[in-house]
Amino acid sequence: MKHRHLLPTRRTALALAVTAFLVSACQMHGGGRVDQLNDLRGPTQDLRVELREGTNMAAFPSPDGKRIVFSNQGALWVMPAAGGAATRITDWHLEPTAPVWSPDGKRIAFQNYAPEANYHIWTIDPDGRRPEELTTGPNDDREPAWTPDGSALVFSSDRSNDGQYKIWSVPADGGPPTRLTAGPGAESNPVVSPDGRTLAYVDGPNVVTKPFDSRTPTIVAPGTAPAWVPDGSGLVYQNADRQLVLRGAQLTSGEDIFPFPVRFLPDGRFLYTADGHIRVRDAAGGAQGDIPFRAELLLRRPVFSHPKDRQFDNFGQRRVAGISAPVLSPDGRSIAFVALNDVWVMRIGDAPRRLTDDQDRDISPQWTADGKAVYFSTERGNAGQLAVDQVDVATGARTRLAAIPGRSMALPKLSPDGRSIAYITLSGQLEIWNRATSTFRVVAPAVGSQVSTPQWLADGRHILLVDNERINNRFREGYNKLRVIDLATGQGSFHAVAPAPRQISERDEGAAVLSPDGTRVAFIMDSLLHLMPLNPDGSPAGPARLLGSEPADLPSWGGNDMLMVKSANRIRVIDADGSHARDVDVKLQWRQAAPEGSTLIRAGALWDGLAPTLRYDVDILVQKNRIAWIRPHTAGSASQAERFIDASGLTVMPGLIETHIHPLTLYQGGPRLFVSPPLWEGNRLFYHFARSLRTPAVADVEIAKAKAMDADFLKAYVRAPIPVMSRIAQGALDLGVPSGTHPIEPGAATGIAGTTHLSATQRMGYSWSKSAVKAITYQDAYDTYGKGSFRLIDTLFSAAALAGLDPGIVTDPRFILVPPNFVAGLQNATPPTPAQLGTIINDATQQAKVVAAGGLVANGTDSPLVVPGIQLHLNLRAAGLVLGNYTALQTVTINAAKMALVDRDLGSVEPGKLADLIVVRGNPLSDLRAAANVEVVMKNGRAYTLAEILAPFSTPAAPAARRDAVAAYQARCRSHPAECAEDGQHAD
């Protein structure tokens, strides 16, 4: 059923009580209606929230000084200049920021993140009527400011399409924009002098001025957010410490000033926003005071009353759904793929046959040109790094093609003559391995996120791959394009596959594959299969052609006339002309592993995950995969079960749950995995595993695919627009799985269930939840969404700084499992500096505020290139500095289970729950280091000792291989530091 009720208003800790009443879900004002509530269907609750403070608000007074417009939590609000009740003038479909009032008082301009997934300049009447879009197109237009006569607006934009951010203008009544500046630079925050003759703006680190009749700007000072004083004699701006400066003199000290210009009132005073407030000072910068406001926000939030059935107790045979990286053989009659962590081959129509069978991770299979063997990346025998092996399909003979100590070789591709292997390192750069000399060379250093599997052109001298061409020099996103790289020079050229913003969907499962004869390339665009002819040099020879209406991923060729794709949970073969599409049935099944019978654990102590104290000397009976009962220990209890674990000197606790991970290696997985589709992005991308959902129609395709694949979590990424976020929110509610996003607004307004970061990359360039300097002291944004209604998966802290809290962690025997490039910052870690410790404490304090406000907090790591097993424990210890050990432990146990909607089965030690436990030495409630001092792990009722877990990696050669790998990696980093620069980055 749908719950449609308004909860009592929430207030900040320092807010005074007020009486307020809303007559409907729509706020009434000026004769118009502002719809605040989304269209989410299913179990929901409607919340009413009172805002009295805000984060990164922007405020602007009306020309007559009687009213103020301000942006807060994804909306524009207008209130009396003296303060009081604010009226919302924009509905939930708009995402307005940076409002500026026109000189005649008749219109308010703002930047809006439009439904097409770009920032454009809009205007609206002060009562919310007639919202109009002034700029359009696939470019970002930001930070509007009126000319003094009100005839036009100036703004910053990347619409010059030359990689630069420039200053532009647009007529106030509409018309084509005009560029005002040229040349290199990242220009922003323009404002015109009162006499209309001079432009002030930010160029890189500096505030500059430039007369309209001059081409040469003059540097004023390092800083940002300039504003002209009313007589035009100087500027007020923010310096590097984000404090206000007037004519060279600093006006403020220690304030958390938001990243917007000051705005002058008719009487000479000026407004600005800081420390959660709208603030006013006199013309000289003195007599500071705050203007109070009350803004009532309505939200419709999902209620997950029927979480997805995870089938934890299904022990029957089930069809394998995780068919990864399927590739068609050259003759089109067989496929190779990865499933159940091994490489398989299958003659189409026959049963699959396993080519590898071990505990090592195998990925990215490819066929040799003659179709007699399959080669792939593997961690086998390479100290945790990816080497390249080959298996003869007929005989099963396995040979090593390439391995580099301390270095991973991912996405390998043999050259046409078989003498070289192109591959990608985990930091994203293209390298070539010479098989004759067993040496490698860097062809294209990493410049961002990872590129796709390399494809050799027929001449053997060029590589074609999918790479991301950055759009501008202010923000990191770009378009996925074909890139042809000359191996002799390392130089590359980008080629779009369609007019912007259409592009290749991603650089992983949606990337491009070259036909064997090199004349065509297949790729995924808008989540559908496309084919495009190529010239011999790899450049497009004609437009791309759609090859079907079904979702498609992972294209591969079988000869020159046949293609295979993964279509949601099916594998499909299609002729290159788009005809004769048919399914390939992979008859592969799996069964959940769980021990028969019962296991009794005698625990010296038990932390059940729910209480702030231990229970001592208890017996825990596990029947198959679930906890049957927990009782005080009795003599002879061991005889009540088939198996007995003596943990009488140890502590039993819930297994830790990592809530935010981008796994790249086997070691980064856990004993139980919940999976998400790629990061769902708008029309601009950064990460290789982010997918463009530039329109609602594309979003519908991807969400239907996620439902077919039974996804566990849906994530809207940084630039997903409101219509797409709304569909993701609905898809998650339909599936009964959680959802998350970076932008806390409009995420909450659209029905997204939570956020994946306390502070992270934002499309605005700033966050509604945390300022660039520090988090708001009193009103944290998460407090605005009602008790338990908003979920925070936080990812905190510097790995190196945290390792300095416990440098001894590198002596743990499990540290030998860590590939050397994942721990460059950990091995020589020193205690955090006071500044680093202050950052850690501040971030943890924000977690504590969310907890105090009734929000749900779980800790994760967001770690693709540092090791989550270590990083999670380090994050846990940092959180404990402020939250206390008990609450910190709950963020990685019961809270994390609630976040994943699996708390009925996981997260605590209770009868009826799954037996996912760890047995540790020590008391984690008194010392969080004890949580890492694991002696036994129990997953799904099966117990593994630490010795058993380490055994596969503890061969006599393992320590030496580990030392060699570390030494080789460190030597390479010293000689070529740029190659290691990306290691350790978070994926956000």
Side-chain angles (χ1 to χ4, degrees):
M1 64 181 289
K2 175 171 284 193
H3 306 285
R4 297 176 61 95
H5 59 277
L6 296 179
L7 299 188
T9 301
R10 291 190 59 78
R11 299 185 299 272
T12 69
L14 301 186
L16 298 175
V18 298
T19 301
F21 179 74
L22 294 180
V23 298
S24 72
C26 296
Q27 191 170 7
M28 306 296 295
H29 63 87
R33 294 171 63 87
V34 172
D35 187 2
Q36 295 199 47
L37 297 182
N38 60 52
D39 303 318
L40 203 60
R41 301 178 306 278
T44 62
Q45 59 177 340
D46 292 348
L47 304 178
R48 180 174 59 194
V49 178
E50 184 174 274
L51 304 175
R52 296 193 177 189
E53 298 177 355
T55 307
N56 286 326
M57 301 181 297
F60 202 109
S62 60
D64 60 9
K66 295 181 179 180
R67 291 173 291 174
I68 295 172
V69 62
F70 64 97
S71 58
N72 191 7
Q73 294 303 315
L76 292 186
W77 311 77
V78 174
M79 71 173 182
T87 299
R88 180 169 177 163
I89 66 168
T90 56
D91 68 23
W92 74 277
H93 297 93
L94 295 180
E95 190 180 335
T97 46
V100 287
W101 217 306
S102 65
D104 63 7
K106 295 181 179 179
R107 298 288 280 175
I108 295 169
F110 56 92
Q111 66 179 34
N112 178 53
Y113 195 65
E116 296 78 19
N118 286 98
Y119 275 106
H120 292 146
I121 307 304
W122 287 53
T123 62
I124 195 170
D125 288 349
D127 65 358
R129 300 177 189 269
R130 298 191 306 123
E132 295 178 355
E133 188 173 40
L134 289 186
T135 64
T136 60
N139 297 101
D140 275 356
D141 305 320
R142 300 174 184 253
E143 300 140 358
W146 292 91
T147 58
D149 62 4
S151 65
L153 287 135
V154 295
F155 59 95
S156 66
S157 179
D158 60 9
R159 60 178 48 242
S160 55
N161 295 315
D162 58 0
Q164 312 297 319
Y165 236 87
K166 300 288 99 186
I167 307 303
W168 291 68
S169 70
V170 64
D173 57 358
T178 301
R179 188 167 69 176
L180 301 179
T181 61
E187 299 170 358
S188 64
N189 293 274
V191 60
V192 181
S193 62
D195 62 9
R197 297 179 178 178
T198 305
L199 193 64
Y201 55 93
V202 176
D203 188 358
N206 298 314
V207 173
V208 303
T209 59
K210 186 186 80 65
F212 279 98
D213 59 3
S214 170
R215 292 187 176 184
T216 305
T218 300
I219 295 176
V220 176
T224 188
W228 292 95
V229 297
D231 64 5
S233 61
L235 296 169
V236 182
Y237 60 90
Q238 296 179 21
N239 63 16
D241 295 326
R242 298 288 297 278
Q243 299 304 303
L244 296 181
V245 175
L246 171 61
R247 297 189 180 93
Q250 184 170 314
L251 300 180
T252 60
S253 178
E255 294 185 42
D256 183 17
I257 298 177
F258 300 153
F260 308 101
V262 304
R263 309 298 188 181
F264 282 89
L265 289 153
D267 59 8
R269 295 179 301 155
F270 62 82
L271 296 177
Y272 65 104
T273 51
D275 293 327
H277 302 288
I278 299 173
R279 194 155 280 174
V280 64
R281 289 177 179 264
D282 63 28
Q288 177 231 302
D290 292 340
I291 300 176
F293 67 86
R294 302 189 309 275
E296 292 199 332
L297 180 70
L298 303 185
L299 294 164
R300 176 163 295 154
R301 310 292 298 130
V303 175
F304 294 98
S305 53
H306 300 289
K308 166 186 165 181
D309 180 5
R310 310 283 178 153
Q311 299 192 52
F312 290 131
D313 297 312
N314 182 348
F315 298 104
Q317 291 283 352
R318 284 184 268 179
R319 186 184 184 90
V320 171
I323 304 296
S324 172
V327 285
L328 199 53
S329 63
D331 64 6
R333 297 179 179 179
S334 300
I335 68 171
F337 59 91
V338 171
L340 305 176
N341 210 44
D342 285 312
V343 178
W344 301 69
V345 293
M346 187 190 80
R347 189 79 164 177
I348 294 177
D350 294 344
R353 181 162 56 90
R354 210 166 198 148
L355 286 187
T356 65
D357 191 0
D358 51 41
Q359 298 185 41
D360 302 296
R361 188 176 71 130
D362 304 323
I363 62 169
S364 308
Q366 297 285 342
W367 290 89
T368 56
D370 60 10
K372 294 181 179 180
V374 173
Y375 60 96
F376 50 93
S377 293
T378 179
E379 291 173 336
R380 184 179 183 183
N382 200 41
Q385 300 292 85
L386 291 171
V388 181
D389 278 6
Q390 179 173 297
V391 176
D392 185 279
V393 172
T395 68
R398 181 167 177 169
T399 56
R400 176 134 295 177
L401 300 186
I404 306 171
R407 199 173 198 78
S408 276
M409 307 172 74
L411 309 176
K413 193 74 173 180
L414 279 166
S415 62
D417 61 11
R419 297 176 180 176
S420 301
I421 303 174
Y423 61 92
I424 308 299
T425 67
L426 294 186
S427 61
Q429 68 188 14
L430 173 64
E431 298 179 353
I432 301 292
W433 175 263
N434 186 311
R435 296 181 65 187
T437 62
S438 296
T439 58
F440 73 93
R441 64 185 178 95
V442 178
V443 175
V447 294
S449 184
Q450 189 169 300
V451 297
S452 73
T453 300
Q455 310 283 315
W456 292 83
L457 293 188
D459 62 10
R461 299 191 301 271
H462 294 81
I463 291 284
L464 179 143
L465 43 71
V466 182
D467 200 355
N468 188 259
E469 185 174 37
R470 188 172 172 179
I471 295 171
N472 63 65
N473 53 1
R474 278 189 71 190
F475 300 94
R476 67 184 185 177
E477 292 86 3
Y479 295 133
N480 287 335
K481 299 180 178 181
L482 298 178
R483 186 181 181 195
V484 180
I485 299 175
D486 186 322
L487 298 184
T489 66
Q491 299 301 306
S493 56
F494 281 98
H495 303 283
V497 297
R502 299 187 74 203
Q503 61 183 300
I504 299 172
S505 288
E506 62 176 53
R507 304 191 297 282
D508 191 359
E509 294 186 351
V513 289
L514 195 61
S515 63
D517 63 8
T519 62
R520 288 165 296 175
V521 64
F523 56 87
I524 310 305
M525 181 165 61
D526 290 341
S527 297
L528 304 175
L529 179 64
H530 288 73
L531 191 66
M532 189 171 69
L534 295 181
N535 293 310
D537 64 359
S539 61
R545 180 167 59 92
L546 180 64
L547 280 193
S549 59
E550 295 184 334
D553 292 296
L554 298 162
S556 67
W557 288 87
N560 292 305
D561 300 314
M562 186 183 300
L563 285 156
M564 184 175 71
V565 296
K566 185 84 181 296
S567 182
N569 55 354
R570 299 184 298 162
I571 294 177
R572 303 271 285 168
V573 172
I574 184 172
D575 290 350
D577 62 2
S579 66
H580 197 208
R582 59 273 192 199
D583 285 349
V584 174
D585 189 16
V586 180
K587 298 181 176 68
L588 191 62
Q589 293 187 314
W590 70 285
R591 186 194 299 271
Q592 180 183 186
E596 294 297 330
S598 58
T599 304
L600 190 130
I601 307 169
R602 180 186 176 184
L606 167 66
W607 180 61
D608 61 12
L610 303 174
T613 57
L614 299 182
R615 296 161 61 181
Y616 292 96
D617 203 17
V618 298
D619 290 334
I620 305 169
L621 183 69
V622 176
Q623 190 71 43
K624 201 166 188 175
N625 68 330
R626 290 192 179 268
I627 299 169
W629 50 254
I630 303 171
R631 300 172 182 171
H633 171 66
T634 57
S637 58
S639 63
Q640 301 180 45
E642 287 89 339
R643 293 170 296 275
F644 175 68
I645 298 174
D646 184 1
S648 55
L650 304 171
T651 300
V652 175
M653 61 181 290
L656 304 191
I657 302 174
E658 157 70 278
T659 50
H660 189 163
I661 181 176
H662 301 274
L664 290 180
T665 76
L666 174 65
Y667 315 120
Q668 291 181 312
R672 192 184 294 278
L673 297 177
F674 302 119
V675 299
S676 169
L679 302 176
W680 281 341
E681 187 59 292
N683 61 29
R684 299 184 178 196
L685 309 168
F686 179 72
Y687 289 108
H688 65 284
F689 51 88
R691 172 157 291 215
S692 172
L693 275 61
R694 64 180 186 86
T695 68
V698 179
D700 289 341
V701 172
E702 286 295 320
I703 292 167
K705 188 171 71 179
K707 291 179 178 179
M709 296 295 291
D710 202 23
D712 297 307
F713 179 80
L714 304 183
K715 181 171 181 178
Y717 202 50
V718 174
R719 288 183 62 96
I722 285 176
V724 168
M725 296 178 83
S726 299
R727 281 165 165 78
I728 293 171
Q730 187 64 61
L733 187 55
D734 293 344
L735 266 170
V737 302
S739 58
T741 186
H742 278 210
I744 193 167
E745 282 290 4
T750 60
I752 298 287
T755 185
T756 54
H757 296 268
L758 189 68
S759 181
T761 308
Q762 301 285 328
R763 58 186 176 227
M764 292 180 292
Y766 48 85
S767 171
W768 287 122
S769 58
K770 189 175 179 183
S771 75
V773 179
K774 62 184 179 182
I776 296 309
T777 306
Y778 306 119
Q779 169 77 54
D780 189 280
Y782 307 108
D783 187 19
T784 68
Y785 301 116
K787 185 176 180 63
S789 71
F790 206 76
R791 298 156 181 263
L792 165 65
I793 302 173
D794 207 4
T795 50
L796 299 180
F797 320 130
S798 157
L802 290 175
L805 295 173
D806 182 16
I809 199 166
V810 298
T811 64
D812 189 293
R814 291 163 290 181
F815 200 75
I816 66 170
L817 304 183
V818 179
N821 57 310
F822 293 167
V823 292
L826 301 182
Q827 291 169 320
N828 300 310
T830 57
T833 65
Q836 287 174 322
L837 187 59
T839 299
I840 293 169
I841 295 295
N842 183 63
D843 283 354
T845 299
Q846 306 320 309
Q847 282 193 0
K849 291 193 303 182
V850 180
V851 172
L856 181 65
V857 177
N859 262 303
T861 64
D862 184 26
S863 299
L865 296 180
V866 291
V867 180
I870 292 173
Q871 178 76 5
L872 185 64
H873 281 282
L874 296 176
N875 275 19
L876 172 64
R877 297 174 198 182
L881 295 175
V882 171
L883 296 177
N885 292 357
Y886 166 62
T887 302
L889 283 165
Q890 286 198 312
T891 68
V892 293
T893 53
I894 188 62
N895 284 11
K898 290 178 179 178
M899 193 74 67
L901 305 180
V902 293
D903 52 301
R904 297 177 184 176
D905 298 282
L906 293 166
S908 60
V909 186
E910 298 179 79
K913 286 201 170 183
L914 293 169
D916 282 13
L917 314 171
I918 53 176
V919 182
V920 304
R921 188 171 297 280
N923 180 356
L925 291 173
S926 61
D927 186 350
L928 288 174
R929 290 176 296 181
N933 196 8
V934 177
E935 299 283 343
V936 178
V937 173
M938 176 172 280
K939 186 259 176 160
N940 214 38
R942 180 179 174 184
Y944 304 82
T945 66
L946 181 59
E948 288 175 305
I949 295 171
L950 295 178
F953 312 97
S954 301
T955 63
R962 167 72 179 171
R963 287 192 299 271
D964 291 346
V966 170
Y969 180 78
Q970 292 176 333
R972 187 70 187 178
C973 289
R974 287 192 295 270
S975 61
H976 297 77
E979 296 178 20
C980 304
E982 294 297 314
D983 289 357
Q985 72 174 355
H986 280 207
D988 292 342

